[in-house]
Amino acid sequence: MVDLRSDTLTQPTPGMRRAMAEAVVGDEQKREDPTVIELEERAAALLGQEEAVFVPTATMANQISLRVLSEPGHEVLAEADAHVFRYELGGPAVHSGLAMKAIHTDDGRFSPEDVRAAIVPQGDIHAAPTRVLCVENTHNGGGGRVWPLDRIREVVGVAREQGLRVHLDGARLMNAAVAASVSAAEYGREFDTVTLCLSKGLGCPLGALVAGSRDDMLKARRFKHLFGGAMRQAGIVAAAGLYALDHNVDRLAEDHANARRLGEGLVAAGLPVDPAQVESNFVLLDVGALGLGADDAVARLRSEGVLFSFAARKDVLRAVTHLDVTAGDIETALDAVPRALGALVGA
Ligand SMILES: Cc1ncc(COP(=O)(O)O)c(C=O)c1O
């Protein structure tokens, strides 16, 4: 099987496992784990922020960020398919008492005008005041789309003009940084809080970071504990994070090249892929355009030995390249996918 369902599927490599086995650890809750502290310091610098807090998942990093940046009764803005809205079980409402307003886009990247139009003016006493804007980079639901730094500056500028605070769901920020040749710190420092996930393209078994100012991260540590995320000998996992930052960042360019090769190959086979969509490690395949439902298409692909997953949009499938997908796997997929679906082209 060539498994292209998600970059969360990576297995820790022997080198990463060795780093984990040899980690010096302590009680993380008491701030006595030197490996966690080292990872937090590295991550703060990497993300252009004063301090970072190690947490088990990117979902927790996002939810802690929203709790830090808002009070119950405020409103949060994000793109309609943003992870924080679509796949976190209504967390902003549950954990932070927030009203959630979606900005609809084609690819996950909204404009300064979209933000301006969505904000509830501070003086309106009948509506929940808009307090937080979330940006997701790369945007998973939009197909791994990469935000240009200028566009980020524009939307953040509008938000700040209106007194909002801003969060970056950078679960895949290193993919964005590598794809755009913009440093993670350049992206990160535009925001109040930043999430970075270690268990996607970076290849760790788990772990994420939330970064921000010292004051905000003091609050973040309290919410981490409140949400049940304060750990003990977590250095065993943080060691994987340090290893990933040393070994698995630059190589994301290979994942992007593999995704481009897959996208171009599928287009050459006449399959409905928009090559302009392939900006990082995601390829979207519009099986609806072939007259297929997503379930049917996934089953056909599986029977030819390739696993795709469902994308955010109806009857669109997603292939994701990662550490455990080789260039050879892509050629295998390019042989198998047209076999599974090719007869439908032009039918
Ligand atoms: C953009 C984005 N943010 C956050 C998350 C949440 O990550 P986790 O599963 O580690 O909580 C994901 C997971 O796919 C994601 O794609």
Side-chain angles (χ1 to χ4, degrees):
M1 281 286 171
V2 177
D3 194 342
L4 300 170
R5 287 172 300 164
S6 176
D7 50 8
T8 57
L9 295 165
T10 53
Q11 293 281 325
T13 57
M16 181 177 279
R17 286 174 188 267
R18 244 186 333 270
M20 295 174 78
E22 290 165 7
V24 180
V25 298
D27 190 331
E28 189 267 333
Q29 268 189 29
K30 295 188 169 53
R31 307 278 295 127
E32 288 175 5
D33 189 307
T35 309
V36 170
I37 291 169
E38 186 184 343
L39 176 62
E40 290 181 341
E41 287 173 358
R42 284 263 314 258
L46 180 75
L47 301 173
Q49 297 285 348
E50 279 178 351
E51 193 169 329
V53 178
F54 183 49
V55 291
T57 66
T59 298
M60 190 182 282
N62 282 339
Q63 296 300 327
I64 287 173
S65 297
L66 294 184
R67 187 70 190 85
V68 165
L69 298 178
S70 66
E71 292 297 332
H74 283 153
E75 180 180 78
V76 52
L77 297 179
E79 203 276 336
D81 287 326
H83 197 277
V84 73
F85 274 10
R86 180 115 186 229
Y87 303 107
E88 297 186 15
L89 298 98
V94 175
H95 301 300
S96 301
L98 294 174
M100 297 155 64
K101 187 187 282 168
I103 301 174
H104 293 266
T105 71
D106 290 334
D107 65 8
R109 295 173 291 204
F110 39 78
S111 67
E113 296 71 36
D114 293 330
V115 176
R116 203 169 273 119
I119 291 174
V120 171
Q122 301 287 328
D124 184 340
I125 60 157
H126 299 289
T130 313
R131 181 62 173 159
V132 184
L133 174 71
C134 287
V135 173
E136 186 176 308
N137 191 21
T138 63
H139 196 283
N140 174 345
R145 307 306 276 262
V146 179
W147 281 73
L149 184 58
D150 286 350
R151 176 76 80 87
I152 288 209
R153 289 187 171 140
E154 286 168 13
V155 298
V156 168
V158 171
R160 295 223 185 271
E161 240 169 55
Q162 303 292 321
L164 271 60
R165 304 201 73 199
V166 281
H167 172 64
L168 173 60
D169 178 355
R172 294 185 182 79
L173 185 62
M174 301 320 297
N175 291 87
V178 167
S181 300
V182 169
S183 74
E186 281 176 280
Y187 276 127
R189 71 169 70 98
E190 299 297 321
F191 293 86
D192 293 304
T193 50
V194 182
T195 291
L196 174 69
C197 188
L198 296 170
S199 69
K200 300 192 168 66
L202 296 181
C204 298
L206 72 150
L209 291 130
V210 52
S213 69
R214 274 200 212 300
D215 284 352
D216 281 338
M217 291 306 100
L218 195 62
K219 292 182 196 154
R221 285 192 199 283
R222 287 187 61 82
F223 291 124
K224 167 181 165 179
H225 210 127
L226 180 67
F227 293 175
M231 297 171 277
R232 298 298 182 181
Q233 286 70 33
I236 207 106
V237 183
L242 287 165
Y243 182 91
L245 294 182
D246 285 336
H247 297 91
N248 293 349
V249 174
D250 292 343
R251 64 150 308 285
L252 291 171
E254 289 171 37
D255 297 344
H256 300 172
N258 281 339
R260 268 197 311 278
R261 165 79 186 124
L262 179 63
E264 284 160 8
L266 294 178
V267 170
L271 288 160
V273 168
D274 172 7
Q277 164 268 309
V278 186
E279 296 180 2
S280 62
N281 61 328
F282 285 50
V283 179
L284 298 185
L285 176 60
D286 181 4
V287 294
L290 298 173
L292 278 184
D295 288 325
D296 191 9
V298 163
R300 285 174 190 242
L301 290 165
R302 178 183 281 273
S303 72
E304 292 293 344
V306 184
L307 302 181
F308 277 47
S309 59
F310 303 120
R313 310 280 154 100
K314 185 169 158 30
D315 295 336
V316 175
L317 300 189
R318 187 184 84 162
V320 185
T321 56
H322 53 76
L323 193 57
D324 294 347
V325 174
T326 64
D329 291 334
I330 297 300
E331 298 311 316
T332 305
L334 282 174
D335 189 45
V337 176
R339 237 189 356 262
L341 306 177
L344 300 161
V345 174

